[in-house]
Amino acid sequence: SGPCHLPLFPGEMGPIPDVLFCFLLSLEDNEHSLVSKIELLPSYSAEVFEEIPIEKPVVEQDPWDLSNFRDSGIKWSERDTKGKIIAVFRGFGKVILLLGFLYFFVCSLDILSSAFQLVGGKMAGEIFSDGSLLSNPLGGLMIGVLVTVLVQSSSTSTSVIVSLVSSSLLTVKAAIPIIMGANIGTSVTNTMVALLQAGDRNEFRRAFAGATVHDFFNWLSVLVLLPLEAITNYLYHLTNVIVKSFNIKSGDDAPELLKVITDPLTKLIIQLDKKVINEIATGNEAAKNKSLIKIWCETFKNVTLSNVTVPSPANCTSSSLCWTDGNMTWTLLNATYAENIAKCKHAFVDVSLSDLSIGLILLALSLMVLCTCLILIVKVLNSGLKGQVAAVIKKTINTDFPFPFAWLAGYLAILVGAGITFLVQSSSVFTSAITPLVGIGVISLERAYPLTLGSNIGTTTTAILAALASPGNTLQSSLQIALCHFFFNISGVLLWYPIPFTRLPIRLARGLGNITANYRWFAIFYLIFCFLLTPLAVFGLSLAGWPVLVGVGAPILLVLLVVLVMRVLQARCPQVLPKKLQTWDFLPLWMHSLQPWDGLVSLLTGSCCQLRRCHCSRCWEQDEDQEKLKKIPMKVLE
């Protein structure tokens, strides 16, 4: 009836809420009834109550917020002189480790590209050699995607396209869709890199969104600009005017800064003769039997006059250098003889294995090194980015300029991305390097987007430099297709960046990041579907002809359009729809939710969920909680 206060049991328990004892005393008036109703276990009763979960107001943290990187160590002001010296040396050591891991990470990307070229380079050359496949815009687009995925390098595929145009085997108009496809295919590398951060849910959410924002930008740009180009040919006419207005002379390839640093290591592992792919693409049948592996690194070419036979005196070089001997007509012509001087010094120069076997070996080794380096880079960054250091870096990268110049920060990021990609001559390296930084929270998704757009523009310099090295008679066509690549990316930036409302790739990537954080298997499905199954399906339908392509594609596009319109109406103004259509519940669960598919994938892969319809990681956490609760030694009231 009134307040009751019970003394604690000395040495047996910690503080227990008084209300619990008041409740127990109210059960019986007899003072001995307490013992009969509850039995305390003195040896571990304190731990029992410590492990009882107490409900507290949960403040959910936004998984898209950048990490705080709290410094759990000793503050700088609290360190003595020795501690400060140790901290400085430790910081320098982490920087050196980070640079070392980053160096091997970039080298492994280079070896990965070489491995893919060994596995699929000749196939890519044969695909390019068939002119009938390239005449269809949709077929050319999908060929660009597939070839770039095969060789893992947009630089290689665009250089081959420039070679085809300069050889007059491909027109500029037919090459434009292939260039668009190469732009899509180059984004597969950093999407694969994002898969390596699947261990942490929120890191994977951010990393996969940071990688796929590149995919969505390229797909959306093609969705708008390919029909526009097919109708108006605006890229062709624009670049034609630019090329004709300038008197551009043939030049040489600019030096690649990144190659100077990585070549000393990568050339000890493998060296490729990339001209073989160009020769196959231009129709050289003899090149199909050549190996892509470079054997001779030092050769000498000698030009001498030689006696050769010609069909008739009309084919002689001059009347004074022409003579007839019986039925044979002879003349003097310059003949070039190549003499091999020194072999290359890489690991596979004398290995008697096929290109496919060596490519598979390098593929496995490069992926292993790539995964290891990425994991170590993330660990070093997580241990080094703490306290004030992280605050300064995050503030520098993600902060906008003061009002009214806040909009300039994004355009500056575009210039930075274009400049760095121009120096390293590889958009894959740049975007793959910033993907883990987005994952751990150093770079926000909103800042990674303009950096990626800049990288897309910077990578076009490769094709421009390749075009400038073309012969004078084909320089104009080669440079025109390279400029088409440049203005395609500029048009995409103008479509999807200047107005904040049009930055649709960010919203789509954020939504996909949320999905893959809950259903991690969906990331692999997305990768296979977007970069392999869809291009193969569209390419196959395009080979069957326009009637088949339109007959199959039009209903699919119509269904997708209806779903998109309904999704927007359900989110914005559901009242205009009938009550049944305001949600997707009228459809079977498997048609509007990934939950049944998650159970199927879990069952097929033999994961912890098996027949349960829930996420594996959640089930694992729930099972751990249940096992923990079972271990609590607690007796319940009768």
Side-chain angles (χ1 to χ4, degrees):
S1 60
C4 58
H5 301 282
L6 289 179
L8 300 178
F9 299 99
E12 292 182 352
M13 296 182 58
I16 298 177
D18 294 338
V19 66
L20 176 61
F21 285 96
C22 292
F23 170 73
L24 295 173
L25 287 178
S26 64
L27 296 176
E28 287 287 346
D29 294 331
N30 191 344
E31 59 182 78
H32 300 290
S33 64
L34 177 60
V35 179
S36 65
K37 294 294 181 182
I38 183 170
E39 180 182 349
L40 295 175
L41 305 176
S43 60
Y44 39 71
S45 55
E47 287 79 359
V48 171
F49 284 92
E50 286 177 3
E51 292 189 16
I52 294 177
I54 300 175
E55 292 187 3
K56 295 181 181 179
V58 179
V59 180
E60 292 187 1
Q61 184 181 3
D62 187 358
W64 294 100
D65 285 345
L66 299 187
S67 303
N68 294 324
F69 300 108
R70 294 177 182 176
D71 194 353
S72 57
I74 305 173
K75 294 182 179 179
W76 180 263
S77 58
E78 298 176 357
R79 297 177 186 267
D80 55 8
T81 305
K82 181 180 178 181
K84 290 181 179 179
I85 294 174
I86 293 174
V88 170
F89 277 103
R90 187 176 295 170
F92 277 115
K94 288 180 179 180
V95 171
I96 294 172
L97 280 176
L98 183 62
L99 293 176
F101 293 143
L102 188 60
Y103 175 76
F104 285 108
F105 175 77
V106 173
C107 289
S108 63
L109 283 175
D110 193 357
I111 300 298
L112 182 69
S113 176
S114 299
F116 272 103
Q117 290 178 53
L118 285 171
V119 173
K122 289 186 177 181
M123 186 187 299
E126 291 179 2
I127 291 173
F128 275 132
S129 65
D130 192 344
S132 61
L133 299 179
L134 307 177
S135 58
N136 186 338
L138 273 178
L141 174 72
M142 297 308 161
I143 285 175
V145 176
L146 291 171
V147 168
T148 308
V149 170
L150 277 176
V151 300
Q152 281 290 290
S153 173
S154 63
S155 303
T156 301
S157 56
T158 51
S159 298
V160 171
I161 295 168
V162 168
S163 300
L164 290 173
V165 173
S166 64
S167 303
S168 301
L169 297 174
L170 190 65
T171 63
V172 174
K173 288 184 179 180
I176 291 175
I178 307 175
I179 286 287
M180 293 181 180
N183 221 46
I184 294 173
T186 191
S187 60
V188 70
T189 306
N190 59 319
T191 309
M192 292 170 58
V193 169
L195 295 176
L196 304 179
Q197 288 183 268
D200 183 272
R201 187 182 299 276
N202 286 332
E203 277 190 17
F204 185 52
R205 185 195 311 271
R206 293 189 291 260
F208 201 75
T212 53
V213 73
H214 193 189
D215 306 351
F216 284 118
F217 169 77
N218 287 327
W219 281 109
L220 288 173
S221 298
V222 166
L223 191 64
V224 174
L225 297 178
L226 181 61
L228 183 63
E229 175 64 21
I231 296 171
T232 64
N233 290 319
Y234 87 100
L235 284 175
Y236 174 79
H237 294 305
L238 175 63
T239 54
N240 191 36
V241 170
I242 292 174
V243 169
K244 287 184 176 179
S245 63
F246 293 101
N247 184 20
I248 303 174
K249 296 182 179 180
S250 180
D252 298 323
D253 289 342
E256 298 180 5
L257 177 64
L258 193 65
K259 292 291 184 182
V260 176
I261 302 172
T262 58
D263 275 355
L265 177 60
T266 57
K267 282 188 174 181
L268 292 176
I269 302 173
I270 191 68
Q271 294 183 45
L272 299 184
D273 186 4
K274 298 181 180 179
K275 292 181 180 178
V276 175
I277 300 177
N278 287 3
E279 291 175 358
I280 295 174
T282 52
N284 186 352
E285 293 294 329
K288 295 181 180 179
N289 298 322
K290 292 182 180 179
S291 173
L292 283 172
I293 298 173
K294 200 171 185 179
I295 305 297
W296 299 96
C297 285
E298 190 176 346
T299 58
F300 175 73
K301 290 185 178 180
N302 188 23
V303 181
T304 59
L305 280 174
S306 301
N307 294 332
V308 295
T309 59
V310 291
S312 66
N315 301 106
C316 292
T317 55
S318 66
S319 57
S320 60
L321 299 175
C322 186
W323 64 94
T324 302
D325 183 8
N327 294 328
M328 307 292 291
T329 301
W330 295 82
T331 187
L332 291 175
L333 288 176
N334 287 329
T336 303
Y337 296 96
E339 182 180 354
N340 297 321
I341 298 176
K343 279 189 174 183
C344 300
K345 296 180 180 179
H346 58 83
F348 296 93
V349 67
D350 290 323
V351 176
S352 58
L353 292 174
S354 64
D355 287 2
L356 177 61
S357 302
I358 296 175
L360 293 175
I361 293 171
L362 290 177
L363 184 63
L365 291 176
S366 59
L367 285 175
M368 183 177 66
V369 175
L370 184 71
C371 296
T372 305
C373 289
L374 185 63
I375 292 170
L376 293 175
I377 286 171
V378 171
K379 287 187 177 295
V380 172
L381 286 173
N382 280 329
S383 64
L385 293 176
K386 293 180 179 179
Q388 294 299 321
V389 177
V392 171
I393 294 176
K394 285 166 48 180
K395 187 175 182 181
T396 303
I397 296 177
N398 301 301
T399 304
D400 294 328
F401 290 116
F403 181 82
F405 304 105
W407 57 274
L408 283 175
Y411 293 96
L412 179 62
I414 292 177
L415 293 177
V416 169
I420 296 177
T421 306
F422 172 76
L423 291 176
V424 302
Q425 288 290 293
S426 175
S427 62
S428 299
V429 170
F430 178 74
T431 53
S432 299
I434 67 172
T435 295
L437 296 178
V438 177
I440 65 175
V442 175
I443 301 178
S444 66
L445 182 61
E446 286 72 18
R447 184 63 75 238
Y449 180 53
L451 287 171
T452 301
L453 300 188
S455 179
N456 246 17
I457 296 172
T459 194
T460 59
T461 58
T462 303
I464 294 174
L465 293 174
L468 289 175
S470 302
N473 58 339
T474 59
L475 176 61
Q476 180 174 336
S477 298
S478 304
L479 186 58
Q480 185 176 355
I481 188 60
L483 288 176
C484 286
H485 190 194
F486 174 76
F487 282 105
F488 167 72
N489 283 303
I490 292 292
S491 302
V493 171
L494 294 176
L495 274 175
W496 309 113
Y497 188 75
I499 305 173
F501 176 76
T502 62
R503 294 172 188 173
L504 191 58
I506 295 179
R507 295 198 290 272
L508 293 175
R510 196 184 297 273
L512 184 60
N514 288 328
I515 293 173
T516 53
N518 292 326
Y519 306 96
R520 301 183 198 187
W521 55 266
F522 190 76
I524 300 175
F525 170 79
Y526 164 83
L527 198 65
I528 296 174
F529 181 80
C530 285
F531 294 101
L532 187 61
L533 297 182
T534 299
L536 282 175
V538 176
F539 178 64
L541 290 174
S542 64
L543 290 180
W546 281 106
V548 177
L549 180 63
V550 173
V552 176
I556 295 175
L557 291 177
L558 181 62
V559 171
L560 291 177
L561 183 62
V562 170
V563 170
L564 180 62
V565 171
M566 284 188 60
R567 183 69 186 89
V568 172
L569 292 176
Q570 287 173 352
R572 301 290 181 181
C573 43
Q575 63 276 7
V576 302
L577 295 172
K579 188 174 181 180
K580 187 176 181 180
L581 298 180
Q582 291 180 3
T583 64
W584 297 108
D585 293 339
F586 65 94
L587 295 173
L589 186 62
W590 61 270
M591 293 185 66
H592 65 91
S593 174
L594 290 177
Q595 189 175 349
W597 297 103
D598 184 55
L600 178 62
V601 171
S602 301
L603 177 63
L604 294 177
T605 56
S607 61
C608 59
C609 287
Q610 294 190 2
L611 295 176
R612 302 181 195 176
R613 292 182 174 181
C614 55
H615 314 316
C616 291
S617 55
R618 288 185 180 176
C619 287
W620 181 259
E621 292 166 1
Q622 290 174 3
D623 291 342
E624 284 184 341
D625 292 341
Q626 291 173 2
E627 290 297 325
K628 192 174 180 181
L629 288 173
K630 288 178 182 178
K631 294 179 181 179
I632 296 179
M634 185 175 181
K635 292 192 175 182
V636 187
L637 295 175
E638 295 178 357

